Amino acid sequence: MNPKKKVDLKLIIIGALGVGKTSLLHQYVHKTFYEDYQTTLGASILSKIISLGDTTLKLQIWDTGGQERFRSMVSTFYKGSDGCILTFDVTDLESFEALDTWRDDVLAKTAPVEKSYPIVVLGNKIDLADRQVPQEVAQDWCKEKDIPYFEVSAKNNINVVQAFEMLAGRALSRYQSILENYLTDSIKLSTGNQSRRGCC
Ligand SMILES: Nc1nc2c(ncn2[C@@H]2O[C@H](COP(=O)(O)OP(=O)(O)OP(=O)(O)O)[C@@H](O)[C@H]2O)c(=O)[nH]1
């Protein structure tokens, strides 16, 4: 039997103040939900190990604070990430309208050259009645940008695992294709060097 491959991935969760980033992460990692609100200062990290096919993934997930005053500090954590969960609150229109800026920021730091950087969008707090962002509006925004969209509730644990694991799957595929390209380039380089050595 082949041993499982092991891959470490860094994921980030970003979005406006109070949209539920910490709650989503705690629901995913610890299966818990807290009603009380404690804003994240800067960033904190939680880890989770999951199995995807023949690979064991160690996810290191960076939870970032949504406060404006931490914005530029938080964006330094985007570097080296393998994928991003972009979150808004369906009862807070402003948090949805801010998605463009959050996405531009993260792409500027992570994918200036190649465009395959994986993002999923989560519309959180669908358990609440006072919704301000219709599902179709959020879906259209995501469709236009070719980003998967999930309607979620950290409180009621709706779609949370599905969303995180779709991102993990996409981040793994990207990681594997970057690795394959690197190996192919290295082989080309070393066979090229050998044939040059052999020719004269
Ligand atoms: N009803 C409901 N409340 C939620 C949900 N998710 C989060 N909350 C509440 O929203 C508040 C903010 O949640 P956090 O997870 O701290 O939000 P955050 O985005 O991490 O906040 P910052 O770190 O300040 O940016 C808390 O009171 C949570 O209990 C949800 O799915 N449904």
Side-chain angles (χ1 to χ4, degrees):
M1 200 175 74
N2 287 335
K4 280 203 162 203
K5 287 174 247 168
K6 285 190 198 140
V7 174
D8 287 10
L9 294 176
K10 173 182 176 180
L11 305 179
I12 53 174
I13 178 160
I14 65 172
L17 189 69
V19 294
K21 299 177 294 293
T22 304
S23 304
L24 286 162
L25 188 52
H26 277 260
Q27 183 57 263
Y28 178 55
V29 174
H30 296 309
K31 298 191 179 7
T32 52
F33 175 77
Y34 302 102
E35 292 282 352
D36 60 315
Y37 176 26
Q38 287 184 344
T39 193
T40 304
L41 303 176
S44 67
I45 306 169
L46 286 182
S47 295
K48 184 167 169 108
I49 294 175
I50 61 168
S51 259
L52 270 189
D54 63 351
T55 308
T56 300
L57 282 183
K58 183 172 176 201
L59 305 177
Q60 190 189 61
I61 311 170
W62 289 56
D63 174 24
T64 61
Q67 287 187 50
E68 198 54 48
R69 66 191 169 113
F70 294 128
R71 191 77 177 249
S72 76
M73 191 251 268
V74 157
S75 71
T76 61
F77 302 134
Y78 303 169
K79 205 161 180 274
S81 63
D82 298 293
C84 168
I85 291 185
L86 185 51
T87 314
F88 71 97
D89 171 352
V90 297
T91 69
D92 173 2
L93 184 59
E94 258 183 54
S95 73
F96 174 71
E97 290 172 344
L99 287 186
D100 274 308
T101 312
W102 286 102
R103 178 173 169 267
D104 290 350
D105 271 8
V106 80
L107 289 180
K109 287 271 184 326
T110 54
V113 185
E114 51 91 31
K115 300 274 185 277
S116 66
Y117 181 78
I119 298 178
V120 298
V121 170
L122 272 55
N124 188 34
K125 308 195 188 178
I126 60 164
D127 56 284
L128 295 176
D130 51 339
R131 183 172 186 134
Q132 289 186 358
V133 185
Q135 184 171 359
E136 311 75 60
V137 172
Q139 270 167 342
D140 287 350
W141 188 90
C142 291
K143 201 170 172 193
E144 194 186 294
K145 290 160 181 71
D146 199 20
I147 299 176
Y149 175 59
F150 290 86
E151 295 250 303
V152 299
S153 165
K155 183 173 181 173
N156 291 351
N157 194 14
I158 299 171
N159 268 340
V160 176
V161 173
Q162 290 85 337
F164 275 86
E165 296 197 351
M166 170 178 271
L167 181 68
R170 291 191 166 210
L172 176 62
S173 303
R174 174 173 176 267
Y175 172 90
Q176 285 168 332
S177 88
I178 291 172
L179 190 66
E180 270 164 31
N181 289 341
Y182 173 78
L183 292 175
T184 313
D185 288 349
S186 310
I187 290 166
K188 274 190 203 146
L189 210 64
S190 72
T191 49
N193 284 344
Q194 272 169 14
S195 56
R196 259 200 301 283
R197 267 203 298 274
C199 84
C200 309

